[in-house]
Amino acid sequence: MTEKNMTEKNMKVRIVLDIACAWSALGYARFKHAVERFRAEGGAVDVEFLPFQIVPDAPAEGELLSEVHRRVFGPSAEEQTARMTALAARSGLELNFDKAIFTNTLDAHRLIAHAAAQDRGEQMAHRLFSAYFTEGLNVADPSVLERLARETGVEQAPLAGSAEVAAGQRVVRDLGVTSVPVFLFEGGGSLVGARSEEDLLAALREAAVGAPARVHAAT
């Protein structure tokens, strides 16, 4: 595949994710590495984010994610999070489950949509994952979101992104998505789950030259 072939058009990738999902955080970290390599090769890609909430009725005031895990997973909670922490670290992602605040992510999705309208969607998604899983910030707190927007260079407006999130939620329902992350490549191919950086890079290259990415399910 030549640089000329890759730069003939801007290919689109749509990513379905949730800020409160560790697998989404890992999948996006790997995608970020893959897309940086793809762009360094001369590839052009536009990234669109589609919202998904793993717990749509999660309270905005939040609670420690470690407490939620103990209720859901019981005695195996610490072992499971330790494995996930080690796996994420290999992709340069720091997960602090003992600090993370489990909370409602609707306003975080609105902020991503608003940032995307200013060509800062990728940066905003990355910043929100870091805030949630690394720094232990409540991403449902308006003051936190305002600060993150400011740090990312996003001009924030009250309830900005609401229409885009509602439209994105309809698309996600129509697609029948039940778990995240999902990577949808222009041309019809998709990758499901936190696939490897190499899988994601290969899918980007294939989609760029018009070959649909192979459909993979998470293992």
Side-chain angles (χ1 to χ4, degrees):
M1 178 171 55
T2 67
E3 181 174 319
K4 179 179 182 299
N5 288 333
M6 286 193 297
T7 56
E8 286 176 349
K9 65 171 184 174
N10 268 32
M11 178 260 299
K12 179 182 284 189
V13 178
R14 295 187 296 170
I15 308 176
V16 190
L17 51 71
D18 190 15
I19 297 301
C21 171
W23 288 107
S24 289
L26 177 56
Y28 187 64
R30 290 172 172 174
F31 176 81
K32 187 173 180 291
H33 295 318
V35 83
E36 286 171 355
R37 291 170 61 187
F38 177 73
R39 286 168 173 157
E41 296 172 353
V45 57
D46 293 327
V47 180
E48 178 184 346
F49 296 92
L50 294 175
F52 185 94
Q53 289 184 275
I54 54 175
V55 184
D57 59 352
E61 59 269 22
E63 65 175 311
L64 282 173
L65 182 58
S66 57
E67 294 298 325
V68 176
H69 283 166
R70 288 188 187 98
R71 287 201 305 271
V72 174
F73 301 117
S76 67
E78 290 187 10
E79 181 182 349
Q80 291 187 47
T81 55
R83 285 201 301 268
M84 187 68 188
T85 299
L87 180 63
R90 293 201 286 272
S91 293
L93 176 63
E94 181 183 352
L95 300 180
N96 292 319
F97 287 105
D98 57 333
K99 292 173 60 176
I101 303 296
F102 180 74
T103 189
N104 195 288
T105 57
L106 180 59
D107 284 347
H109 285 297
R110 286 173 174 155
L111 182 54
I112 292 173
H114 183 56
Q118 300 175 38
D119 296 323
R120 295 184 182 275
E122 293 176 59
Q123 298 94 318
M124 196 72 252
H126 174 74
R127 185 67 188 90
L128 282 162
F129 277 127
S130 177
Y132 187 99
F133 280 106
T134 304
E135 300 167 45
L137 300 178
N138 183 344
V139 299
D141 184 332
S143 65
V144 169
L145 293 177
E146 182 180 354
R147 176 162 67 85
L148 299 180
R150 189 167 56 249
E151 290 176 3
T152 314
V154 173
E155 296 180 6
Q156 195 179 16
L159 297 180
S162 296
E164 292 84 352
V165 166
Q169 288 172 328
R170 289 193 293 272
V171 171
V172 169
R173 285 195 296 270
D174 290 344
L175 290 169
V177 173
T178 58
S179 64
V180 287
V182 179
F183 301 87
L184 304 164
F185 297 85
E186 188 170 17
S190 64
L191 295 175
V192 180
R195 307 302 301 184
S196 71
E197 180 181 332
E198 295 303 325
D199 280 349
L200 290 160
L201 180 58
L204 286 165
R205 289 169 174 165
E206 291 170 2
V209 296
R214 293 180 297 277
V215 178
H216 296 273
T219 56

